[in-house]
Amino acid sequence: MHVRTSAPSRRPGQAVLLVLGLLAALLAAAVPVAGPAHAAVPDRWGFAYLDNATPPPGYVPDPSRQYGSWASPSTNPVKVDQIGLGSYVVHFPLIGGPGGIAHATAVSSSARWCQIADWKPVGSGQDVYVTCYLPSGAPANSTFTVLYTSSSGLPTTPTGSYGYVNADSSGAILAQYNSTGAANAVSKGSTGLWKAWLPGLGQATHAGNLQATAVDPKQGARCKVSDWAPGTTGQTVVVACYNASDVPYDTEWTLSYSYQRAVHGPAFPPRSFGYLWYNGSLPALTNYNSSGATNTLGGSGAPFFVSLPSIAVPSDTAQVTAYGKSPEYCGLHTPWDRAGGTVRLYVACFGPGGAPVKTPFFAAYTSAR
């Protein structure tokens, strides 16, 4: 599989190895060494929802749930090819280039997860490889949402804040962005744990939204946000990854953070977007709706119902990431629906063996405009 070369140096400066047995110790550890600097308004981005788990060659997925930064996306659509059982390549036209990050979320009423295998420019386009799995770790066909975004430069009049990191299994940064112009950093903890430092972003209290995705071309892997410690100088985020046996596992991963920004990070956000963090409650500044309306959470957890009023505008997309210190994972139970201006996301979470569970999660929704 192609190896991305998004920065002049793909390794951080002097690596800092943190040998930590406990997650609390990981959060308390010193700030890690920064990786190569990049800045984020999205130069190139695209999203899609694969609504057919067995697409024919050159399949054009749901037009109302795909869009991007290229010219005339409505007449120059995203296409998807299936390249194996549970394995797909998503072709985003005219946004090819190095760096950036990708996220994927399974859309399934039964236990599935989807992850990124790779992404790379092909001609003028950007190809993103997505693989999906059963709880056993066996590949399985699935519908899913996918997002690619790449940022550089500082907005002249920024709104909110945004940053992302793509790191390999050792914690070396492969690509990154921070809307303040600062350099993000990553340090490695025990197996399957990393600490990401996003300086200058967010607030001193929990505010904004996080998304994390495993990147692994060889086997099933799931990544989530294990812990989150905001501060006056930035955000500390612990990323945890597991294999199909629910065992901590070292793999590549992507992480993105947005505060009053859409999930793909535009400096001048679309009019219609929102996000929500459920951690047993709904912290006020992590529950955002660009219309000023209040998002709500309902349902038993199998699935949850996340209602975001007054922002349902196609074309649109959604991403979901689990939160917590155990191997549960989350996705979308069914595609989101839109009625009377309200969009409803159906969030399903699963534990060992694929049993439905009620567990904390982050959900993010955005329209194209």
Side-chain angles (χ1 to χ4, degrees):
M1 197 64 76
H2 176 84
V3 177
R4 294 177 298 285
T5 54
S6 59
S9 171
R10 295 193 35 170
R11 299 287 176 183
Q14 179 65 36
V16 178
L17 180 60
L18 304 179
V19 181
L20 303 168
L22 298 174
L23 191 57
L26 186 61
L27 275 169
V31 172
V33 174
H38 289 262
V41 290
D43 320 285
R44 299 174 285 114
W45 60 270
F47 60 71
Y49 163 56
L50 178 63
D51 56 330
N52 182 346
T54 55
Y59 181 70
V60 176
D62 187 346
S64 76
R65 292 180 168 92
Q66 62 157 281
Y67 211 78
S69 59
W70 58 92
S72 304
S74 59
T75 57
N76 193 10
V78 177
K79 296 181 180 179
V80 180
D81 286 312
Q82 185 166 16
I83 55 177
L85 180 63
S87 183
Y88 309 87
V89 56
V90 182
H91 307 287
F92 291 105
L94 302 176
I95 59 169
I101 61 163
H103 290 308
T105 294
V107 181
S108 177
S109 58
S110 57
R112 297 279 194 284
W113 80 83
C114 296
Q115 65 196 55
I116 300 298
D118 195 15
W119 64 91
K120 62 181 180 181
V122 175
S124 62
Q126 192 79 11
D127 281 0
V128 178
Y129 294 82
V130 178
T131 50
C132 301
Y133 294 89
L134 296 170
S136 65
N141 296 333
S142 181
T143 57
F144 59 85
T145 64
V146 59
L147 166 71
Y148 170 80
T149 186
S150 177
S151 297
S152 66
L154 297 177
T156 54
T157 54
T159 299
S161 56
Y162 173 74
Y164 64 68
V165 172
N166 169 214
D168 71 13
S169 59
S170 73
I173 291 180
L174 307 179
Q176 64 124 337
Y177 173 81
N178 185 304
S179 61
T180 70
N184 304 322
V186 173
S187 60
K188 183 71 176 74
S190 56
T191 301
L193 285 176
W194 301 261
K195 182 172 69 174
W197 168 239
L198 308 174
L201 301 185
Q203 300 292 313
T205 188
H206 288 113
N209 189 261
L210 292 158
Q211 296 294 321
T213 302
V215 181
D216 198 311
K218 297 179 180 179
Q219 68 175 70
R222 307 187 304 266
C223 296
K224 64 190 297 186
V225 175
S226 182
D227 213 340
W228 175 19
T232 57
T233 57
Q235 307 298 309
T236 301
V237 182
V238 176
V239 174
C241 299
Y242 301 87
N243 64 19
S245 300
D246 300 321
V247 174
Y249 171 63
D250 285 344
T251 188
E252 186 181 333
W253 47 270
T254 60
L255 172 73
S256 63
Y257 171 79
S258 54
Y259 169 63
Q260 296 184 355
R261 296 274 193 101
V263 65
H264 59 300
F268 303 95
R271 291 188 297 272
S272 301
F273 72 98
Y275 50 74
L276 178 145
W277 179 36
Y278 167 67
N279 68 345
S281 62
L282 300 176
L285 297 182
T286 65
N287 187 352
Y288 183 81
N289 185 302
S290 64
S291 75
T294 300
N295 306 325
T296 58
L297 178 69
S300 63
F304 291 103
F305 308 138
V306 177
S307 295
L308 303 101
S310 305
I311 58 171
V313 179
S315 293
D316 50 5
T317 194
Q319 291 288 329
V320 177
T321 290
Y323 173 80
K325 298 177 175 64
S326 51
E328 291 86 2
Y329 56 99
C330 299
L332 290 166
H333 184 268
T334 56
W336 55 101
D337 59 33
R338 321 175 192 96
T342 294
V343 61
R344 178 175 278 193
L345 308 180
Y346 302 88
V347 178
C349 301
F350 304 95
V357 294
K358 184 176 183 178
T359 194
F361 64 87
F362 296 92
Y365 165 87
T366 188
S367 68
R369 302 179 182 87

PDB file of all heavy atoms in Angstrom, residues 184-210:
ATOM      1  N   ASN A 184       1.374  20.802  16.522  1.00  0.00           N
ATOM      2  CA  ASN A 184       0.843  19.740  17.366  1.00  0.00           C
ATOM      3  C   ASN A 184       1.958  18.743  17.694  1.00  0.00           C
ATOM      4  O   ASN A 184       3.011  18.741  17.057  1.00  0.00           O
ATOM      5  CB  ASN A 184      -0.306  19.010  16.661  1.00  0.00           C
ATOM      6  CG  ASN A 184      -1.409  19.963  16.244  1.00  0.00           C
ATOM      7  OD1 ASN A 184      -1.732  20.902  16.959  1.00  0.00           O
ATOM      8  ND2 ASN A 184      -1.985  19.725  15.076  1.00  0.00           N
ATOM      9  N   ALA A 185       1.708  17.877  18.660  1.00  0.00           N
ATOM     10  CA  ALA A 185       2.716  16.896  19.056  1.00  0.00           C
ATOM     11  C   ALA A 185       2.035  15.618  19.521  1.00  0.00           C
ATOM     12  O   ALA A 185       0.869  15.635  19.938  1.00  0.00           O
ATOM     13  CB  ALA A 185       3.608  17.457  20.172  1.00  0.00           C
ATOM     14  N   VAL A 186       2.771  14.524  19.453  1.00  0.00           N
ATOM     15  CA  VAL A 186       2.270  13.216  19.886  1.00  0.00           C
ATOM     16  C   VAL A 186       3.367  12.508  20.658  1.00  0.00           C
ATOM     17  O   VAL A 186       4.545  12.567  20.276  1.00  0.00           O
ATOM     18  CB  VAL A 186       1.840  12.350  18.679  1.00  0.00           C
ATOM     19  CG1 VAL A 186       1.487  10.926  19.126  1.00  0.00           C
ATOM     20  CG2 VAL A 186       0.667  12.977  17.949  1.00  0.00           C
ATOM     21  N   SER A 187       3.007  11.824  21.744  1.00  0.00           N
ATOM     22  CA  SER A 187       3.951  10.944  22.437  1.00  0.00           C
ATOM     23  C   SER A 187       3.319   9.581  22.621  1.00  0.00           C
ATOM     24  O   SER A 187       2.100   9.441  22.722  1.00  0.00           O
ATOM     25  CB  SER A 187       4.367  11.528  23.789  1.00  0.00           C
ATOM     26  OG  SER A 187       3.244  11.705  24.633  1.00  0.00           O
ATOM     27  N   LYS A 188       4.161   8.572  22.631  1.00  0.00           N
ATOM     28  CA  LYS A 188       3.715   7.185  22.730  1.00  0.00           C
ATOM     29  C   LYS A 188       3.686   6.742  24.175  1.00  0.00           C
ATOM     30  O   LYS A 188       4.622   6.983  24.938  1.00  0.00           O
ATOM     31  CB  LYS A 188       4.670   6.277  21.931  1.00  0.00           C
ATOM     32  CG  LYS A 188       4.257   4.805  21.910  1.00  0.00           C
ATOM     33  CD  LYS A 188       3.023   4.591  21.056  1.00  0.00           C
ATOM     34  CE  LYS A 188       2.651   3.112  20.948  1.00  0.00           C
ATOM     35  NZ  LYS A 188       2.046   2.601  22.198  1.00  0.00           N
ATOM     36  N   GLY A 189       2.609   6.101  24.579  1.00  0.00           N
ATOM     37  CA  GLY A 189       2.516   5.486  25.885  1.00  0.00           C
ATOM     38  C   GLY A 189       2.648   3.982  25.770  1.00  0.00           C
ATOM     39  O   GLY A 189       3.399   3.468  24.935  1.00  0.00           O
ATOM     40  N   SER A 190       1.916   3.257  26.592  1.00  0.00           N
ATOM     41  CA  SER A 190       1.929   1.804  26.517  1.00  0.00           C
ATOM     42  C   SER A 190       1.214   1.351  25.253  1.00  0.00           C
ATOM     43  O   SER A 190       0.683   2.170  24.493  1.00  0.00           O
ATOM     44  CB  SER A 190       1.270   1.212  27.768  1.00  0.00           C
ATOM     45  OG  SER A 190      -0.041   1.721  27.915  1.00  0.00           O
ATOM     46  N   THR A 191       1.187   0.057  25.003  1.00  0.00           N
ATOM     47  CA  THR A 191       0.619  -0.472  23.761  1.00  0.00           C
ATOM     48  C   THR A 191      -0.791   0.068  23.542  1.00  0.00           C
ATOM     49  O   THR A 191      -1.647   0.014  24.425  1.00  0.00           O
ATOM     50  CB  THR A 191       0.576  -2.002  23.802  1.00  0.00           C
ATOM     51  OG1 THR A 191       1.893  -2.502  23.977  1.00  0.00           O
ATOM     52  CG2 THR A 191      -0.014  -2.557  22.512  1.00  0.00           C
ATOM     53  N   GLY A 192      -1.031   0.604  22.355  1.00  0.00           N
ATOM     54  CA  GLY A 192      -2.344   1.088  21.982  1.00  0.00           C
ATOM     55  C   GLY A 192      -2.724   2.429  22.568  1.00  0.00           C
ATOM     56  O   GLY A 192      -3.888   2.821  22.460  1.00  0.00           O
ATOM     57  N   LEU A 193      -1.789   3.170  23.151  1.00  0.00           N
ATOM     58  CA  LEU A 193      -2.090   4.477  23.738  1.00  0.00           C
ATOM     59  C   LEU A 193      -1.103   5.528  23.246  1.00  0.00           C
ATOM     60  O   LEU A 193       0.104   5.287  23.193  1.00  0.00           O
ATOM     61  CB  LEU A 193      -2.034   4.428  25.264  1.00  0.00           C
ATOM     62  CG  LEU A 193      -3.186   3.748  26.001  1.00  0.00           C
ATOM     63  CD1 LEU A 193      -2.891   3.722  27.491  1.00  0.00           C
ATOM     64  CD2 LEU A 193      -4.511   4.439  25.727  1.00  0.00           C
ATOM     65  N   TRP A 194      -1.649   6.699  22.925  1.00  0.00           N
ATOM     66  CA  TRP A 194      -0.847   7.853  22.518  1.00  0.00           C
ATOM     67  C   TRP A 194      -1.458   9.100  23.138  1.00  0.00           C
ATOM     68  O   TRP A 194      -2.681   9.190  23.306  1.00  0.00           O
ATOM     69  CB  TRP A 194      -0.839   8.032  21.004  1.00  0.00           C
ATOM     70  CG  TRP A 194      -0.305   6.885  20.232  1.00  0.00           C
ATOM     71  CD1 TRP A 194       0.945   6.734  19.713  1.00  0.00           C
ATOM     72  CD2 TRP A 194      -1.021   5.684  19.872  1.00  0.00           C
ATOM     73  NE1 TRP A 194       1.065   5.539  19.060  1.00  0.00           N
ATOM     74  CE2 TRP A 194      -0.132   4.873  19.138  1.00  0.00           C
ATOM     75  CE3 TRP A 194      -2.322   5.236  20.102  1.00  0.00           C
ATOM     76  CZ2 TRP A 194      -0.497   3.631  18.634  1.00  0.00           C
ATOM     77  CZ3 TRP A 194      -2.695   3.997  19.615  1.00  0.00           C
ATOM     78  CH2 TRP A 194      -1.787   3.203  18.879  1.00  0.00           C
ATOM     79  N   LYS A 195      -0.627  10.078  23.412  1.00  0.00           N
ATOM     80  CA  LYS A 195      -1.115  11.377  23.868  1.00  0.00           C
ATOM     81  C   LYS A 195      -0.851  12.414  22.794  1.00  0.00           C
ATOM     82  O   LYS A 195       0.289  12.588  22.351  1.00  0.00           O
ATOM     83  CB  LYS A 195      -0.436  11.779  25.166  1.00  0.00           C
ATOM     84  CG  LYS A 195      -0.957  13.124  25.712  1.00  0.00           C
ATOM     85  CD  LYS A 195      -0.414  13.431  27.099  1.00  0.00           C
ATOM     86  CE  LYS A 195       1.051  13.725  27.074  1.00  0.00           C
ATOM     87  NZ  LYS A 195       1.540  14.171  28.394  1.00  0.00           N
ATOM     88  N   ALA A 196      -1.911  13.095  22.343  1.00  0.00           N
ATOM     89  CA  ALA A 196      -1.787  14.171  21.365  1.00  0.00           C
ATOM     90  C   ALA A 196      -1.928  15.507  22.084  1.00  0.00           C
ATOM     91  O   ALA A 196      -2.808  15.672  22.942  1.00  0.00           O
ATOM     92  CB  ALA A 196      -2.856  14.038  20.283  1.00  0.00           C
ATOM     93  N   TRP A 197      -1.062  16.439  21.735  1.00  0.00           N
ATOM     94  CA  TRP A 197      -1.093  17.786  22.311  1.00  0.00           C
ATOM     95  C   TRP A 197      -1.413  18.766  21.185  1.00  0.00           C
ATOM     96  O   TRP A 197      -0.719  18.838  20.176  1.00  0.00           O
ATOM     97  CB  TRP A 197       0.257  18.105  22.943  1.00  0.00           C
ATOM     98  CG  TRP A 197       0.475  19.543  23.317  1.00  0.00           C
ATOM     99  CD1 TRP A 197       1.468  20.354  22.867  1.00  0.00           C
ATOM    100  CD2 TRP A 197      -0.300  20.323  24.232  1.00  0.00           C
ATOM    101  NE1 TRP A 197       1.361  21.594  23.430  1.00  0.00           N
ATOM    102  CE2 TRP A 197       0.287  21.610  24.276  1.00  0.00           C
ATOM    103  CE3 TRP A 197      -1.423  20.065  25.016  1.00  0.00           C
ATOM    104  CZ2 TRP A 197      -0.221  22.644  25.069  1.00  0.00           C
ATOM    105  CZ3 TRP A 197      -1.938  21.081  25.804  1.00  0.00           C
ATOM    106  CH2 TRP A 197      -1.343  22.354  25.840  1.00  0.00           C
ATOM    107  N   LEU A 198      -2.520  19.523  21.340  1.00  0.00           N
ATOM    108  CA  LEU A 198      -3.007  20.474  20.344  1.00  0.00           C
ATOM    109  C   LEU A 198      -2.941  21.865  20.954  1.00  0.00           C
ATOM    110  O   LEU A 198      -3.915  22.349  21.548  1.00  0.00           O
ATOM    111  CB  LEU A 198      -4.437  20.121  19.921  1.00  0.00           C
ATOM    112  CG  LEU A 198      -4.671  18.666  19.483  1.00  0.00           C
ATOM    113  CD1 LEU A 198      -6.155  18.413  19.245  1.00  0.00           C
ATOM    114  CD2 LEU A 198      -3.859  18.324  18.248  1.00  0.00           C
ATOM    115  N   PRO A 199      -1.813  22.541  20.848  1.00  0.00           N
ATOM    116  CA  PRO A 199      -1.647  23.811  21.558  1.00  0.00           C
ATOM    117  C   PRO A 199      -2.497  24.935  20.975  1.00  0.00           C
ATOM    118  O   PRO A 199      -2.703  25.021  19.761  1.00  0.00           O
ATOM    119  CB  PRO A 199      -0.152  24.108  21.375  1.00  0.00           C
ATOM    120  CG  PRO A 199       0.235  23.381  20.138  1.00  0.00           C
ATOM    121  CD  PRO A 199      -0.607  22.148  20.109  1.00  0.00           C
ATOM    122  N   GLY A 200      -3.004  25.776  21.862  1.00  0.00           N
ATOM    123  CA  GLY A 200      -3.709  26.979  21.444  1.00  0.00           C
ATOM    124  C   GLY A 200      -5.137  26.783  21.003  1.00  0.00           C
ATOM    125  O   GLY A 200      -5.835  27.750  20.703  1.00  0.00           O
ATOM    126  N   LEU A 201      -5.622  25.545  20.959  1.00  0.00           N
ATOM    127  CA  LEU A 201      -6.963  25.279  20.445  1.00  0.00           C
ATOM    128  C   LEU A 201      -7.973  25.170  21.580  1.00  0.00           C
ATOM    129  O   LEU A 201      -7.641  24.749  22.688  1.00  0.00           O
ATOM    130  CB  LEU A 201      -6.975  23.988  19.628  1.00  0.00           C
ATOM    131  CG  LEU A 201      -6.043  23.938  18.418  1.00  0.00           C
ATOM    132  CD1 LEU A 201      -6.245  22.646  17.646  1.00  0.00           C
ATOM    133  CD2 LEU A 201      -6.233  25.154  17.512  1.00  0.00           C
ATOM    134  N   GLY A 202      -9.226  25.511  21.275  1.00  0.00           N
ATOM    135  CA  GLY A 202     -10.328  25.274  22.201  1.00  0.00           C
ATOM    136  C   GLY A 202     -10.353  26.199  23.388  1.00  0.00           C
ATOM    137  O   GLY A 202      -9.872  27.340  23.345  1.00  0.00           O
ATOM    138  N   GLN A 203     -10.920  25.672  24.472  1.00  0.00           N
ATOM    139  CA  GLN A 203     -11.138  26.435  25.694  1.00  0.00           C
ATOM    140  C   GLN A 203     -10.509  25.702  26.873  1.00  0.00           C
ATOM    141  O   GLN A 203     -10.060  24.562  26.755  1.00  0.00           O
ATOM    142  CB  GLN A 203     -12.641  26.613  25.924  1.00  0.00           C
ATOM    143  CG  GLN A 203     -13.358  27.344  24.808  1.00  0.00           C
ATOM    144  CD  GLN A 203     -12.949  28.798  24.712  1.00  0.00           C
ATOM    145  OE1 GLN A 203     -12.899  29.501  25.719  1.00  0.00           O
ATOM    146  NE2 GLN A 203     -12.641  29.249  23.497  1.00  0.00           N
ATOM    147  N   ALA A 204     -10.539  26.354  28.037  1.00  0.00           N
ATOM    148  CA  ALA A 204      -9.978  25.746  29.244  1.00  0.00           C
ATOM    149  C   ALA A 204     -10.898  24.698  29.846  1.00  0.00           C
ATOM    150  O   ALA A 204     -10.496  23.951  30.743  1.00  0.00           O
ATOM    151  CB  ALA A 204      -9.678  26.826  30.280  1.00  0.00           C
ATOM    152  N   THR A 205     -12.124  24.638  29.356  1.00  0.00           N
ATOM    153  CA  THR A 205     -13.056  23.591  29.757  1.00  0.00           C
ATOM    154  C   THR A 205     -13.412  22.764  28.535  1.00  0.00           C
ATOM    155  O   THR A 205     -13.057  23.133  27.404  1.00  0.00           O
ATOM    156  CB  THR A 205     -14.323  24.204  30.391  1.00  0.00           C
ATOM    157  OG1 THR A 205     -15.137  23.159  30.935  1.00  0.00           O
ATOM    158  CG2 THR A 205     -15.131  24.979  29.355  1.00  0.00           C
ATOM    159  N   HIS A 206     -14.079  21.630  28.726  1.00  0.00           N
ATOM    160  CA  HIS A 206     -14.456  20.798  27.584  1.00  0.00           C
ATOM    161  C   HIS A 206     -15.320  21.600  26.614  1.00  0.00           C
ATOM    162  O   HIS A 206     -16.410  22.054  26.973  1.00  0.00           O
ATOM    163  CB  HIS A 206     -15.203  19.555  28.047  1.00  0.00           C
ATOM    164  CG  HIS A 206     -14.321  18.554  28.723  1.00  0.00           C
ATOM    165  ND1 HIS A 206     -14.430  18.240  30.056  1.00  0.00           N
ATOM    166  CD2 HIS A 206     -13.296  17.800  28.243  1.00  0.00           C
ATOM    167  CE1 HIS A 206     -13.516  17.332  30.372  1.00  0.00           C
ATOM    168  NE2 HIS A 206     -12.818  17.047  29.293  1.00  0.00           N
ATOM    169  N   ALA A 207     -14.829  21.768  25.397  1.00  0.00           N
ATOM    170  CA  ALA A 207     -15.534  22.538  24.373  1.00  0.00           C
ATOM    171  C   ALA A 207     -15.091  22.023  23.016  1.00  0.00           C
ATOM    172  O   ALA A 207     -13.904  21.829  22.771  1.00  0.00           O
ATOM    173  CB  ALA A 207     -15.221  24.032  24.500  1.00  0.00           C
ATOM    174  N   GLY A 208     -16.058  21.765  22.134  1.00  0.00           N
ATOM    175  CA  GLY A 208     -15.729  21.299  20.797  1.00  0.00           C
ATOM    176  C   GLY A 208     -16.026  19.824  20.607  1.00  0.00           C
ATOM    177  O   GLY A 208     -16.775  19.209  21.371  1.00  0.00           O
ATOM    178  N   ASN A 209     -15.416  19.247  19.573  1.00  0.00           N
ATOM    179  CA  ASN A 209     -15.696  17.879  19.173  1.00  0.00           C
ATOM    180  C   ASN A 209     -14.418  17.202  18.718  1.00  0.00           C
ATOM    181  O   ASN A 209     -13.528  17.840  18.155  1.00  0.00           O
ATOM    182  CB  ASN A 209     -16.724  17.859  18.029  1.00  0.00           C
ATOM    183  CG  ASN A 209     -17.231  16.466  17.716  1.00  0.00           C
ATOM    184  OD1 ASN A 209     -16.776  15.817  16.788  1.00  0.00           O
ATOM    185  ND2 ASN A 209     -18.194  16.011  18.489  1.00  0.00           N
ATOM    186  N   LEU A 210     -14.322  15.891  18.937  1.00  0.00           N
ATOM    187  CA  LEU A 210     -13.169  15.086  18.536  1.00  0.00           C
ATOM    188  C   LEU A 210     -13.629  13.913  17.688  1.00  0.00           C
ATOM    189  O   LEU A 210     -14.708  13.348  17.927  1.00  0.00           O
ATOM    190  CB  LEU A 210     -12.436  14.568  19.772  1.00  0.00           C
ATOM    191  CG  LEU A 210     -11.716  15.619  20.618  1.00  0.00           C
ATOM    192  CD1 LEU A 210     -11.505  15.120  22.041  1.00  0.00           C
ATOM    193  CD2 LEU A 210     -10.380  16.006  19.980  1.00  0.00           C
TER     194      LEU A 210
END
